[in-house]
Amino acid sequence: MERISIKELPFLLRKPNKYRKSSTDPGDKELRTYKGILYSSKMEMRRAVELDRMMRNGLIHCWYRQIKVYLPDKSYAYTPDFMVIEACKNRLEIHFEDVKVFITQRMSDSIHMWKRWEKLPLRLIRLQNERWEIMEEIIPEKY
């Protein structure tokens, strides 16, 4: 049996990136980095660029990335890619966005939980023919 040092332990326990991308592998790291932030995918990074453009043009008020959302009983947490705050007339509207290519079974389970417990909309978006489109918008059930 191979022995490991205590210094190697955190590396071995670290959860792998969901896209199997290594943060130390130079591969496409530059293509997934925007304003010094390494994104999980190129598409997610492109959405960040687009959200910045929309903010400069006054289409949205601001945006944040990777905001963890907990269910009321704290038994489940979901982290959408972005939280977007839009300035609509005299009020602010908030929605979450998740950049997707397709919807997995795990994502389908998350959608069900979101509909049941969260109060804000979640948009599943993708880049189609160089345009962002909403694949599905999850509108929460009313309380």
Side-chain angles (χ1 to χ4, degrees):
M1 181 172 199
E2 186 180 335
R3 299 189 112 194
I4 61 168
S5 73
I6 207 76
K7 290 179 183 176
E8 295 174 298
L9 193 56
F11 175 75
L12 293 173
L13 297 176
R14 198 172 301 144
K15 183 179 173 185
N17 181 288
K18 64 181 177 180
Y19 298 108
R20 309 282 192 264
K21 302 285 185 183
S22 167
S23 58
T24 57
D25 178 22
D28 66 346
K29 193 174 177 181
E30 289 179 11
L31 299 175
R32 296 184 292 123
T33 302
Y34 175 63
K35 291 189 172 182
I37 297 170
L38 179 61
Y39 288 85
S40 297
S41 68
K42 291 180 216 174
M43 197 176 338
E44 188 178 320
M45 190 259 337
R46 287 180 70 181
R47 184 58 180 170
V49 171
E50 177 68 10
L51 289 171
D52 267 353
R53 185 195 64 75
M54 291 170 71
M55 197 166 68
R56 278 192 310 276
N57 292 335
L59 299 172
I60 63 172
H61 181 67
C62 62
W63 63 274
Y64 300 93
R65 67 181 293 268
Q66 303 288 316
I67 302 292
K68 192 172 274 196
V69 179
Y70 291 93
L71 288 183
D73 65 357
K74 304 258 190 257
S75 66
Y76 182 83
Y78 181 70
T79 308
D81 295 327
F82 304 100
M83 180 176 81
V84 180
I85 302 173
E86 297 178 79
C88 299
K89 298 181 183 174
N90 295 328
R91 67 183 195 284
L92 296 177
E93 287 188 6
I94 300 171
H95 72 268
F96 290 91
E97 291 185 355
D98 222 345
V99 177
K100 297 289 176 205
V101 175
F102 56 88
I103 298 172
T104 63
Q105 180 58 48
R106 184 172 181 205
M107 184 65 212
S108 185
D109 295 343
S110 296
I111 289 170
H112 174 73
M113 299 296 276
W114 190 277
K115 282 181 183 176
R116 187 166 176 215
W117 294 106
E118 186 48 50
K119 296 179 183 179
L120 298 169
L122 172 65
R123 294 178 185 166
L124 305 179
I125 61 171
R126 69 176 170 194
L127 192 58
Q128 187 76 18
N129 299 323
E130 296 302 313
R131 293 184 56 133
W132 290 101
E133 69 176 28
I134 299 172
M135 294 168 55
E136 185 174 350
E137 185 166 16
I138 294 90
I139 307 293
E141 295 174 0
K142 300 296 179 200
Y143 287 87

